[in-house]
């Protein structure tokens, strides 16, 4: 039997979080953390609501997952995020020792790949999962934002 829980399934859930951020006027990035095919954290950007530049979806998800697990390390966990993590989030992911990071759209200007930010040596990064859907949501957000100003 085929596993219904795959990277596309979980990225669709992360995109739902990004839509919530979009509806709140936040940059639409959604994230979730999974262990053993179980979602243990869901998050989206909250930088505007909290007036906090560190309130990225990944940071919110890392905190929620660590609280759920009762420890700071996210070993055997996978982060699904709709946008390639920035340098700050990649640093936090490094310290969390997360096993996998799966992202949707690339961030060629501010993403951890372009900035050569290192992840933990045991962390595997997979990109491009639902890339078009993730990128289109971001484009739609910035077009609407530009048209309001």
């Amino acid at each position: 039997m085929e596993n219904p829980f795959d990277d596309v399934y979980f990225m669709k859930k992360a995109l739902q979080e990004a839509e919530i951020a979009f509806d709140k006027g936040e940059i639409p990035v959604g994230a979730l953390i999974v262990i053993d095919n179980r979602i243990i954290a869901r998050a989206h950007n909250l930088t505007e609501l909290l007036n906090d530049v560190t309130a990225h979806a990944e940071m919110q998800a890392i905190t929620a997952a660590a609280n759920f697990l009762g420890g700071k390390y996210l070993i055997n966990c996978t982060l699904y995020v709709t946008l390639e993590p920035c340098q700050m989030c990649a640093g936090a992911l490094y310290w969390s020792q997360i096993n996998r990071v799966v992202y949707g759209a690339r961030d060629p200007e501010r993403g951890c790949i372009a900035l050569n930010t290192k992840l933990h040596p045991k962390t595997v990064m997979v990109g491009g999962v639902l890339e078009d859907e993730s990128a289109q949501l971001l484009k739609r957000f910035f077009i609407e934002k530009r048209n309001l100003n």
Side-chain angles (χ1 to χ4, degrees):
M1 184 176 149
E2 188 176 315
N3 182 2
F5 302 108
D6 61 9
D7 289 345
V8 171
Y9 172 83
F10 289 118
M11 189 60 76
K12 285 181 181 178
K13 299 290 185 188
L15 272 165
Q16 290 173 353
E17 286 296 318
E19 289 279 358
I20 293 168
F22 183 98
D23 292 343
K24 291 179 177 180
E26 297 279 355
I27 294 175
V29 177
L32 48 97
I33 295 180
V34 173
I35 189 169
D36 297 326
N37 290 325
R38 180 177 178 198
I39 298 170
I40 61 170
R42 295 174 188 266
H44 53 271
N45 274 357
L46 293 172
T47 58
E48 298 297 326
L49 179 71
L50 299 178
N51 286 322
D52 181 355
V53 297
T54 69
H56 290 194
E58 300 96 321
M59 302 296 275
Q60 302 299 310
I62 290 166
T63 299
N67 286 334
F68 178 88
L69 294 171
K72 62 186 176 183
Y73 298 117
L74 303 181
I75 296 167
N76 299 319
C77 292
T78 298
L79 167 75
Y80 292 89
V81 62
T82 58
L83 181 65
E84 174 191 340
C86 72
Q87 194 168 21
M88 172 186 68
C89 293
L93 289 164
Y94 179 99
W95 291 111
S96 78
Q97 298 183 23
I98 197 157
N99 279 50
R100 273 178 91 226
V101 175
V102 179
Y103 68 88
R106 287 271 329 264
D107 186 347
E109 293 179 27
R110 295 178 206 90
C112 62
I113 295 169
L115 297 173
N116 290 321
T117 307
K118 302 289 185 229
L119 291 175
H120 193 274
K122 294 180 182 175
T123 300
V124 174
M125 184 178 270
V126 177
V129 177
L130 297 183
E131 181 175 9
D132 291 339
E133 294 88 334
S134 299
Q136 286 303 317
L137 183 59
L138 286 159
K139 286 177 188 168
R140 185 168 51 115
F141 175 81
F142 287 111
I143 287 169
E144 287 185 20
K145 190 115 172 127
R146 207 172 306 126
N147 290 336
L148 290 175
N149 293 331

